[in-house]
Each structure stands twice: as structure tokens, then as C-alpha cells.
Amino acid sequence: MSAVLDAGTAGAASAAIPTPHRSIATEAAPAVPAAPTVAIVLLGTGVVGGALLKLLNTPAAARVRLVGAANSRRQQTSAARLASRSLREQLNNQGDVRDNAALLAALDHSGAAARVIIDATASTALASQHAQWLARGYHVVTANKALAGGELAGWRALQAATANGGRYGDAATVGAGLPVLSTLRRLRLCGDSLLTLEGVFSGSLSWLFNQYDGKTPFSALLREARRLGYTEPDPRSDLSGDDVARKLLIIARNAGFALGSDEVVVEGLVPEVLRELDTGTFLERLQELDAPLAARHAEAASRGCVLRFLARLNQRGHARVGLVEVPGTHPAARLSGTDNQFALTTTRYNAQPLVIQGPGAGPEITAQALLGDVLALS
Ligand SMILES: NC(=O)c1ccc[n+]([C@@H]2O[C@H](COP(=O)([O-])OP(=O)(O)OC[C@H]3O[C@@H](n4cnc5c(N)ncnc54)[C@H](OP(=O)(O)O)[C@@H]3O)[C@@H](O)[C@H]2O)c1
């Protein structure tokens, strides 16, 4: 990462990206490192944002310059402070008050050919600004699903904004960068179309049901998953199925199904009585999840099946998320760890689905997906 402002290119900011200058090494004029071509502002310095800050300090990010960083309370635009290895910690008690306009100004003054806002938050308020930023000539790279996987009007605004040349890097929103959205776009470019989609889109729910054998109580597994950092601090965020529904919406919309957020049927795992509790009380009452799930498991096992938390989209655009019995021969029955799985049946991948599978959560790979989208702009 470079956090040093380079002179000579100020005012050249534009959505168009020039071919990088290549210097030819001669005795008279030794090669000099090429100037950074991408200026970025990082919103969110939590688990994913923190991992991205580390990646920015590697040679892979040599052409990327960090000109601003923020958490929910503070921000920093000073080049010297942005270059600090303890930037993330410093933002907890040092820096300017939050003001997006100052961060955008830092991008404008960077002189870089491409100006990118990276959203590594889960903030709906920030996501609602993605389309405006794109319309103003910034590129947006995001791990935040709240716009593309939110209300249909937001998705439509996003489509309109990207039609003007702004690029929307969304690899990190689904499968933590597994090549799902890029593959889908490539297939569509070739005239192929998605017919059905099925899979396990949540690392935490994958792990829980890959482990669950009906003997260890589900609540004990859930506590373990939380301890390992596989779930959110409040595991209801995972168990509700809402995050899986957002990912299903993002894939379906990218495949041409203009689904509203209320068109995904979500069968969550949190009983009504546990939904409104504070986190601490919910965690004390986790064992209330055990009996219903044990009954579902026993029924499935009596038919030679296992339980998996699946997302499904059928050919008529019906979308559903929830717990499903699958036979041992089903691809999802053979998953392990926190793996995600996306099985795409298309016009041309028809006899057998195209299956994309692998780790679908984790800060390093998610940060890498963000960096990959940034580098694609240079
Ligand atoms: N963790 C993963 O493996 C993973 C994988 C794929 C996608 N994601 C997605 O990546 C995003 C970030 O996840 P995470 O695990 O890094 O979450 P996290 O650890 O909770 O971090 C969220 C960060 O966002 C900041 N933030 C919130 N509102 C903000 C605002 N208005 N302006 C600037 N910063 C703001 C928070 O600031 P404070 O510290 O001040 O609260 C915090 O630094 C989420 O959308 C998540 O769904 C995560």
C-alpha cells in the first residue's frame, strides 16, 4: 500500500482508467516504480476491513493508495496516520469525526485514475448511498449486501447507476469471493441462462448441520460455533436465514430474476418466543432450540436423510431458504467444515449442474475478494 500522495497527477480523477505507464530500464534512466493508479477509501475496519488493511501492506497492493479510512465513529485522511500499522486500533480513539464528504474529497484530491469506495460494513445507511456514489463517478467495492440484496428499488437504482460506467465490485457479497457472480455473468454473456439454483450459502449454518448428528445437542454445537467465531456475536443473525436470503436475492437478480425482498420465503431457525430477547437472555435459553431440531433430525434419519440449510431458486423464480432433508447422495450432504456450495443449472449446464464449492466465509478470503475487485480497476 502507498499512503504517500504523489505529485503530478492531481485533477486527473476519472472513471476511465488509462493503461499503466511502463518504463523501459536503461542505464541512463533506471526503472522507477509505477505510480499508484487506484485511490481507495475504506469504510469499516472490523474483521474484514482489518484483514484488508493487512493485505494493503503487501506487494499485491502496490498500485493501490489508501487515502481515507473510517469506522462508525471516527475517520482518518492524514497520509502519515493511514500508513501506520496500528491504524485500525488508532481509529478507536483518534481521528476526525465521521463525515463522508471529507472522505470523498480525499479521493477527489488523490489524482488517481480510479477512485474507489470500499464498503466493509453491514450498514444499510451506507449501502443506500452506493448508487449515488457510482453516479458521481466513484467505483464501489463492497462486502455489504444491504443494497444488492435489499429492496428491489435499491437494486434497480444500482443497475441504473452502473449503466453510466461506475463499476460495482460485489465478489465479496456472496461466498466470500468464491467465483459465483463472476461465473454467472460470464455464462450470461455467452447467452446461457440460469434455470435453477440450489446450495448452502452460509458458512456457520454449513458447519452446524455438517456436524449435527442428533447426539450432541444443537445448542452445544451452536455455542462451539460461536466460540470459534463462525457465527455473529448474536447467532440469531445467522439462524434467522436473512443473510442467506440476501445472498440468494443477489444471485437471482444477477441472473435476471427481478425478485423483491419479500418474494423469498424464509424458514428461520429461531422460534418466535426467542426472537425479541436481548442477546444475553437468548444465549441463556439456547437449549430451547434442541427439541424441535432433534425431532427434525430423527425424522430425516428415519428416511436415510440428513438436514441441510438450503437456499433454492426454481425455474419460475420461486425462492426459498430453510432447513431441508436431503438424501446422502445429494451434493450438500457431502459438505464439510464451513464450506459453501452453489449448484447452478443453466440452459447449457443442464444434465449436471455447475457446482462451485469452497470456504465461503473468513476475513482473509473476503478481504482478498475486495482487493481483487479493486485491482480489476487498475
Ligand atoms: N466476516 C466475514 O467472514 C464476512 C464474509 C463475507 C462478507 N462479510 C460482510 O462484510 C461486512 C463486514 O463484516 P465484518 O465481519 O468485518 O463486521 P464487523 O467486524 O462487525 O465490522 C464492521 C465495521 O463496520 C464499521 N461501521 C459500521 N457502520 C459504519 C459507518 N457508518 N461508517 C464506517 N464504518 C462503519 C464498524 O465500526 P465500529 O467498529 O465503530 O462499530 C466496524 O469497523 C458485513 O457486511 C458482512 O456481512 C463478512
Side-chain angles (χ1 to χ4, degrees):
M1 167 184 73
S2 163
V4 182
L5 294 179
D6 62 327
T9 50
S14 145
I17 302 156
T19 308
H21 170 72
R22 291 178 198 282
S23 37
I24 299 166
T26 64
E27 277 182 26
V32 290
T37 55
V38 184
I40 60 169
V41 153
L42 173 63
L43 304 175
T45 55
V47 174
V48 171
L52 181 63
L53 286 173
K54 286 190 186 142
L55 269 185
L56 292 176
N57 282 311
T58 64
R63 300 177 69 75
V64 178
R65 187 194 319 143
L66 182 68
V67 299
N71 62 22
S72 68
R73 294 152 285 125
R74 291 179 192 277
Q75 64 188 46
Q76 193 55 260
T77 51
S78 137
R81 294 212 183 258
L82 288 168
S84 166
R85 300 254 168 177
S86 56
L87 169 63
R88 188 181 175 209
E89 294 71 30
Q90 283 178 21
L91 274 171
N92 287 326
N93 46 36
Q94 285 173 22
D96 303 326
V97 290
R98 282 288 286 112
D99 170 21
N100 284 338
L103 293 171
L104 299 189
L107 282 175
D108 295 341
H109 294 137
S110 69
R115 301 167 297 160
V116 186
I117 299 162
I118 302 181
D119 186 346
T121 77
S123 161
T124 307
L126 284 184
S128 70
Q129 297 184 59
H130 290 180
Q132 290 167 38
W133 292 334
L134 288 162
R136 288 177 57 187
Y138 304 102
H139 303 292
V140 176
V141 166
T142 184
N144 184 349
K145 298 173 272 291
L147 182 63
E151 298 296 323
L152 187 56
W155 166 258
R156 292 205 160 118
L158 183 57
Q159 298 313 293
T162 49
N164 293 330
R167 298 265 295 272
Y168 198 62
D170 55 5
T173 59
V174 172
L178 286 176
V180 180
L181 295 174
S182 56
T183 301
L184 190 57
R185 288 192 190 109
R186 207 175 138 108
L187 296 179
R188 290 194 82 200
L189 201 61
C190 298
D192 202 355
S193 40
L194 185 74
L195 300 177
T196 67
L197 169 70
E198 182 174 278
V200 174
F201 300 177
S202 154
S204 53
L205 292 170
S206 179
W207 187 88
L208 283 165
F209 288 101
N210 295 341
Q211 306 295 314
Y212 187 48
D213 58 4
K215 295 179 194 132
T216 307
F218 187 81
S219 57
L221 283 177
L222 188 55
R223 282 200 182 87
E224 178 68 356
R226 187 171 179 272
R227 190 187 67 74
L228 292 168
Y230 295 159
T231 71
E232 294 293 323
D234 185 335
R236 284 174 294 190
S237 305
D238 304 271
L239 298 175
S240 69
D242 292 341
D243 197 55
V244 174
R246 275 189 284 273
K247 292 175 188 168
L248 180 56
L249 275 175
I250 292 173
I251 304 174
R253 288 169 176 175
N254 274 287
F257 294 89
L259 293 184
S261 47
D262 55 350
E263 290 182 86
V264 184
V265 178
V266 182
E267 183 208 353
L269 298 174
V270 186
E272 188 105 37
V273 287
L274 301 181
R275 283 185 203 159
E276 303 302 326
L277 304 176
D278 62 77
T279 306
T281 313
F282 171 70
L283 292 172
E284 282 164 17
R285 292 175 56 178
L286 281 189
Q287 69 282 359
E288 291 177 38
L289 298 170
D290 290 342
L293 281 169
R296 295 275 304 261
H297 175 85
E299 269 178 52
S302 72
R303 288 186 275 270
C305 293
V306 293
L307 297 175
R308 291 293 181 265
F309 198 87
L310 292 187
R312 287 168 149 174
L313 176 74
N314 74 13
Q315 220 160 333
R316 281 173 293 165
H318 293 163
R320 180 175 284 274
V321 164
L323 204 57
V324 174
E325 276 184 27
V326 298
T329 51
H330 190 281
R334 297 193 294 268
L335 282 174
S336 64
T338 57
D339 274 5
N340 278 198
Q341 185 179 71
F342 302 83
L344 285 68
T345 303
T346 72
T347 315
R348 295 182 190 132
Y349 285 97
N350 204 340
Q352 292 283 4
L354 169 64
V355 180
I356 298 165
Q357 181 177 322
E364 282 82 16
I365 54 173
T366 307
Q368 175 164 271
L370 292 173
L371 179 61
D373 276 344
V374 170
L375 294 180
L377 293 165
S378 62

